[in-house]
């Protein structure tokens, strides 16, 4: 299998034997298994895959990230991935790493996504999502796919019901005659 470099990568766009993107249906079993195992929303994994690789299992970035979820070599090693281009192994390791980041940032999805893109050290130094256009755009794109904005629920809480009207006042006492 040749290597396909992502179109936004600064490396020359030389395609030896590009692979075809996988359908969402083809990747769905890997997403479902990883989602269940890591207690991560399937839509989140789908959004990360779409943003990271466009569902190309052979994608390789100029930084060396590989596969559907663009795993860096250190992540491949950390999760003992044997074949980073195997969709199931890639999604499983990517979901584990994403879950670690979500836990590390106490459920702050924007920070977890920022760390997935720029690395946890960058997020820690910045005290949040850094003002790096690639990272800001990455986080925003995924949050939009999920129907959220950084830190904003996808569906706003329904408005509180209007207060009940006050109970009617008792009728005035009739004057004593």
């Amino acid at each position: 299998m040749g290597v396909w470099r992502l179109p936004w990568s600064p490396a020359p766009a030389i395609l030896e034997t590009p692979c075809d993107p996988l359908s969402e249906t083809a990747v769905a079993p890997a997403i479902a298994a990883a989602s269940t195992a890591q207690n991560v929303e399937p839509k989140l994994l789908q959004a990360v895959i779409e943003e990271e690789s466009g569902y190309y299992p052979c994608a390789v970035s100029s930084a060396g990230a590989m596969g559907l979820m663009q795993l860096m070599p250190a992540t491949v090693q950390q999760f003992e991935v044997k074949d980073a281009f195997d969709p199931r192994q890639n999604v499983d390791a990517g979901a584990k790493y994403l879950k670690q980041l979500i836990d590390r940032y106490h459920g702050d999805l924007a920070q977890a996504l920022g760390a997935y893109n720029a690395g946890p050290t960058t997020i820690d130094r910045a005290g949040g999502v850094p003002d790096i256009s690639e990272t800001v755009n990455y986080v925003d794109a995924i949050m939009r796919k999920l129907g959220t904005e950084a830190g904003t629920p996808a569906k706003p809480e329904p408005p509180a019901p209007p207060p009940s009207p006050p109970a009617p006042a008792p009728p005035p006492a009739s004057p004593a005659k």
Side-chain angles (χ1 to χ4, degrees):
M1 169 188 339
V3 172
W4 183 74
R5 297 232 177 239
L6 295 174
W8 53 86
S9 120
I14 298 172
L15 303 176
E16 293 174 18
T17 321
C19 63
D20 291 326
L22 297 174
S23 69
E24 289 183 32
T25 305
V27 182
I31 290 172
S35 170
T36 300
Q38 299 308 316
N39 194 27
V40 174
E41 287 293 323
K43 285 183 179 186
L44 174 59
L45 298 178
Q46 291 167 338
V48 169
I49 291 168
E50 185 178 332
E51 193 64 25
E52 287 286 350
S53 67
Y55 282 88
Y56 282 88
C58 63
V60 177
S61 75
S62 60
M66 301 168 277
L68 290 171
M69 292 192 71
Q70 289 292 279
L71 303 177
M72 292 299 289
T75 308
V76 168
Q77 185 176 11
Q78 176 185 355
F79 295 108
E80 301 177 354
V81 175
K82 290 180 180 21
D83 180 359
F85 299 104
D86 174 73
R88 185 171 288 278
Q89 291 180 51
N90 189 282
V91 173
D92 183 57
K96 286 177 183 175
Y97 184 51
L98 196 50
K99 177 62 172 170
Q100 276 187 353
L101 295 171
I102 292 168
D103 290 346
R104 177 178 180 152
Y105 295 105
H106 309 288
D108 186 324
L109 187 55
Q111 285 191 44
L113 290 169
Y116 195 93
N117 176 261
T121 303
T122 304
I123 300 306
D124 295 344
R125 284 186 188 147
V129 177
D131 191 20
I132 299 170
S133 61
E134 176 190 334
T135 303
V136 170
N137 293 340
Y138 175 85
V139 171
D140 288 348
I142 292 177
M143 298 299 261
R144 274 193 310 275
K145 287 175 184 17
L146 298 173
T148 62
E149 293 179 24
T152 305
K155 295 180 183 167
E157 291 294 317
S164 300
S174 44
K177 294 188 183 181

